[in-house]
Amino acid sequence: KNEVEQSPQNLTAQEGEFITINCSYSVGISALHWLQQHPGGGIVSLFMLSSGKKKHGRLIATINIQEKHSSLHITASHPRDSAVYICAVVSGGGADGLTFGKGTHLIIQP
Amino acid sequence: DTAVSQTPKYLVTQMGNDKSIKCEQNLGHDTMYWYKQDSKKFLKIMFSYNNKELIINETVPNRFSPKSPDKAHLNLHINSLELGDSAVYFCASSHRGWTDTQYFGPGTRLTVL
């Protein structure tokens, strides 16, 4: 079974700062998802990646398959980025479903 | 139009009761899922349905049963509710499977008294 670790668990930063959230996993995967859970509880998919790097607006996600590690970066952070960011991996050829990390609680102060 | 919808949004009930949560997606996706988020906000997969076939049941008690009347719906039935079933339940869908973008419903907060 894949073990998914996220760091940091909590992060408070000032508006405008560059944010990095890390995700590591123990077993080879076929894909990795980054999700955002708003303070109101809704969950939105940010990225799904299996290699390399993806960018959407101020968000960038990278993955290093050899090192079993992914990062989510937020440039020019804004208070509306305050949310819980969750990493989830697809392993076992999909038979194990999605295994989730415990999330990173991000607060961006104005 | 809401892509993935769930009803009800809140559900408060007594121990021992039987309840259902409904989920519908209008995205034309092939696969639907149920997730449970516990009080510590940890998400865990419960079920996945693809073309009316159950793919995964992740150590969920058999008091929980998914029912899919058609490709657009995956309802969750829970029998003999227990205190530990209190959680937020999310429905989701994706085009084919785990390596496609997941679209989540708004969640149903279940409280068992």
Side-chain angles (χ1 to χ4, degrees):
Chain A
K1 184 170 168 61
N2 223 327
E3 301 291 331
V4 180
E5 298 286 338
Q6 283 187 239
S7 63
Q9 283 187 302
N10 298 283
L11 178 58
T12 299
Q14 296 298 121
E15 183 172 358
E17 287 189 38
F18 181 81
I19 304 298
T20 295
I21 299 170
N22 297 299
C23 175
S24 60
Y25 49 92
S26 58
V27 178
I29 64 170
S30 50
L32 182 146
H33 294 259
W34 280 105
L35 309 173
Q36 179 192 54
Q37 186 165 28
H38 300 294
I43 300 174
V44 174
S45 176
L46 298 176
F47 296 102
M48 194 284 298
L49 62 167
S50 55
S51 65
K53 174 179 172 179
K54 286 190 177 180
K55 184 175 188 290
H56 186 258
R58 295 180 295 105
L59 301 177
I60 303 166
T62 63
I63 188 168
N64 186 319
I65 295 295
Q66 287 74 27
E67 295 187 0
K68 297 185 178 62
H69 180 268
S70 175
S71 293
L72 176 68
H73 306 285
I74 306 175
T75 61
S77 59
H78 189 276
R80 64 175 174 266
D81 297 325
S82 298
V84 176
Y85 293 84
I86 303 167
C87 166
V89 301
V90 183
S91 51
D96 295 338
L98 271 181
T99 304
F100 293 86
K102 293 186 177 179
T104 294
H105 189 194
L106 174 66
I107 298 173
I108 304 296
Q109 294 178 335
Chain B
D1 272 350
T2 304
V4 182
S5 59
Q6 292 178 233
T7 53
K9 190 170 174 60
Y10 300 96
L11 184 52
V12 181
T13 188
Q14 299 288 330
M15 269 197 311
N17 284 350
D18 301 338
K19 290 294 178 185
S20 296
I21 305 171
K22 294 186 176 181
C23 177
E24 176 180 3
Q25 55 97 2
N26 63 6
L27 298 167
H29 287 167
D30 286 339
T31 307
M32 295 182 71
Y33 313 85
W34 277 105
Y35 295 96
K36 179 181 181 180
Q37 187 171 45
D38 61 25
S39 57
K40 295 184 179 178
K41 303 289 188 179
F42 187 61
L43 275 164
K44 191 172 181 181
I45 180 70
M46 298 179 72
F47 300 104
S48 166
Y49 249 76
N50 187 326
N51 293 327
K52 295 192 176 184
E53 182 183 358
L54 177 66
I55 294 178
I56 290 177
N57 181 335
E58 189 70 12
T59 65
V60 173
N62 58 14
R63 298 181 295 103
F64 290 78
S65 57
K67 287 187 171 48
S68 180
D70 55 57
K71 200 172 88 164
H73 296 84
L74 183 65
N75 303 323
L76 183 64
H77 299 273
I78 316 169
N79 295 325
S80 303
L81 278 155
E82 299 178 357
L83 291 175
D85 297 332
S86 295
V88 180
Y89 293 85
F90 287 95
C91 176
S93 72
S94 68
H95 181 45
R96 289 198 180 89
W98 300 111
T99 55
D100 294 315
T101 299
Q102 300 249 325
Y103 293 82
F104 286 82
T108 295
R109 181 175 295 278
L110 171 65
T111 303
V112 182
L113 304 175

